[in-house]
Amino acid sequence: MSLPLQGRTAIVTGAGRGLGRAEALELARLGAAVVVNDYGQPGRDGSGAAGAGPAEEVVAEIRSAGGTALAHTGDVADFAQAGALVGLAVAEFGGLDILVNNAGILRDRMVFSLTEADWDAVVRVHLKGHFNTTRFAAAHWRERSKARGGPVYGRIVNTSSEAFLAGSAGQPNYAAAKGGIVGLTTSTALALAKYGVTVNAICPRARTRMTEDVFAGLAAPEQGLDPLAPEHVAPLVGYLAAPAAARINGQLLVVHGGMVAVVERPRVRAQFDSKQETFTYDELDALLTPYYAALPDGETFAAAEVLGLKRS
């Protein structure tokens, strides 16, 4: 079997369960040494009883398959702890090559019911968590590139969501955080390209502990792989982390159920120019009102059609 990530070191955040777990296992299967991050107390399970926590369990699974891994139970939304995570990978394995940002939480409510705590918690874990680890990984690669006098190997795979693309009405905090991650992705991709680093984002659809309520009405099949299984997502993460994906940078891809869709960047649909030095209310009314009147009712910037994507 080909091991395209042999000799590489990867970090996967939120990797104790669900998507992160599947991604960590796939990276290890492809040859990478993996730092498995999952927030919690080391040596404790979810009930607080003594025993291995989720991160340690994934590490044990990787090691039992012949791979190399270690656990980190810090909070990636904490700036210092995120720095310690990157520092751990560098100290234990001599460097960092791959960062997969996956950690996240949900606090779903309509915008008129959303509390400040709901907003802050989701934006903190998703958006700030992505920034924190990215910041320290980027600094590491920049320093390595300067010392080497040329590009180095670096891959970041961020986790956005179809909730951002489609405008999920009951997830204003989550959709906003996931949209922010796309902005962080494209900005970082341009900033780090000269150092040899690629930065891409995926929008995965998967049945995990975090999304069990979202997909409660979609039962898993009795036989065969669940179309919503995280194992459909992990191979794309492994590919984006590999040398073969060197020309893929600043991209957004939707992945689930044996399907990958490349999302096109926003394009200008129409342009209106004032016939004077600047627009007046009446001129805008004459131009924009009929334009929008001709569009389908309910159409917004959101791309709700992505929710209909499926393997053909």
Side-chain angles (χ1 to χ4, degrees), residues 40-45 48-54 56 73:
Q41 295 299 317
R44 298 280 172 178
D45 63 18
E56 289 94 342
T73 55

Side-chain angles (χ1 to χ4, degrees), residues 2 5 15 17 24 37 41-42 52 80 92 97 112 114 125 137 159 171 191 213 247 261 272 276-277 280 302 306 310:
S2 172
L5 299 182
R17 301 181 179 89
N37 163 265
Q41 295 299 317
E92 293 293 325
D97 304 289
F112 41 75
L114 200 68
V125 175
T159 306
Q171 297 180 301
D213 291 339
R247 287 182 54 82
F272 301 91
Q276 301 126 177
E277 185 177 1
T280 63
V306 300
K310 62 181 180 179

Side-chain angles (χ1 to χ4, degrees), residues 235-289:
L236 177 61
V237 172
Y239 168 73
L240 291 173
R247 287 182 54 82
I248 303 175
N249 192 32
Q251 301 296 310
L252 179 64
L253 302 98
V254 175
V255 55
H256 58 79
M259 179 220 72
V260 173
V262 178
V263 179
E264 188 175 22
R265 69 182 188 273
R267 296 183 181 276
V268 176
R269 183 173 185 172
Q271 178 178 331
F272 301 91
D273 298 320
S274 174
K275 290 183 169 52
Q276 301 126 177
E277 185 177 1
T278 189
F279 277 111
T280 63
Y281 171 89
D282 290 337
E283 190 178 16
L284 289 169
D285 181 27
L287 291 170
L288 295 181
T289 300

Side-chain angles (χ1 to χ4, degrees), residues 160-303:
S160 183
S161 171
E162 292 171 294
F164 148 68
L165 290 170
S168 180
Q171 297 180 301
N173 48 359
Y174 183 71
K178 291 304 191 181
I181 286 168
V182 173
L184 174 65
T185 298
T186 54
S187 174
T188 308
L190 291 175
L192 300 186
K194 65 181 179 180
Y195 302 117
V197 179
T198 66
V199 190
N200 295 289
I202 62 171
C203 293
R205 190 187 304 177
R207 193 192 309 274
T208 67
R209 190 178 65 160
M210 191 178 84
T211 62
E212 59 186 355
D213 291 339
V214 177
F215 299 121
L218 299 173
E222 294 183 3
Q223 295 182 338
L225 185 63
D226 183 356
L228 290 171
E231 286 75 17
H232 288 295
V233 176
L236 177 61
V237 172
Y239 168 73
L240 291 173
R247 287 182 54 82
I248 303 175
N249 192 32
Q251 301 296 310
L252 179 64
L253 302 98
V254 175
V255 55
H256 58 79
M259 179 220 72
V260 173
V262 178
V263 179
E264 188 175 22
R265 69 182 188 273
R267 296 183 181 276
V268 176
R269 183 173 185 172
Q271 178 178 331
F272 301 91
D273 298 320
S274 174
K275 290 183 169 52
Q276 301 126 177
E277 185 177 1
T278 189
F279 277 111
T280 63
Y281 171 89
D282 290 337
E283 190 178 16
L284 289 169
D285 181 27
L287 291 170
L288 295 181
T289 300
Y291 174 78
Y292 280 103
L295 297 182
D297 289 342
E299 181 178 287
T300 72
F301 186 75

Side-chain angles (χ1 to χ4, degrees), residues 34-218:
V34 183
V35 181
V36 178
N37 163 265
D38 198 83
Y39 181 50
Q41 295 299 317
R44 298 280 172 178
D45 63 18
S47 66
E56 289 94 342
E57 290 173 356
V58 176
V59 167
E61 194 171 355
I62 291 172
R63 289 176 177 172
S64 68
T68 302
L70 57 85
H72 178 271
T73 55
D75 178 8
V76 295
D78 180 279
F79 192 72
Q81 292 183 53
L85 170 58
V86 173
L88 176 65
V90 174
E92 293 293 325
F93 298 118
L96 175 65
D97 304 289
I98 300 154
L99 170 63
V100 179
N101 284 311
N102 169 76
I105 60 172
L106 289 179
R107 297 289 187 271
D108 291 353
R109 286 179 176 81
M110 300 295 285
V111 69
F112 41 75
S113 301
L114 200 68
T115 67
E116 182 180 19
D118 294 332
W119 176 272
D120 288 348
V122 169
V123 171
R124 177 182 181 273
V125 175
H126 287 275
L127 186 52
K128 188 183 179 189
H130 271 62
F131 159 71
N132 285 345
T133 53
T134 295
R135 187 268 181 215
F136 288 104
H140 170 69
W141 288 320
R142 181 172 178 263
E143 290 171 5
R144 281 177 54 193
S145 178
K146 285 188 171 184
R148 181 178 178 179
V152 296
Y153 191 99
R155 300 283 188 270
I156 298 178
V157 181
N158 289 330
T159 306
S160 183
S161 171
E162 292 171 294
F164 148 68
L165 290 170
S168 180
Q171 297 180 301
N173 48 359
Y174 183 71
K178 291 304 191 181
I181 286 168
V182 173
L184 174 65
T185 298
T186 54
S187 174
T188 308
L190 291 175
L192 300 186
K194 65 181 179 180
Y195 302 117
V197 179
T198 66
V199 190
N200 295 289
I202 62 171
C203 293
R205 190 187 304 177
R207 193 192 309 274
T208 67
R209 190 178 65 160
M210 191 178 84
T211 62
E212 59 186 355
D213 291 339
V214 177
F215 299 121
L218 299 173

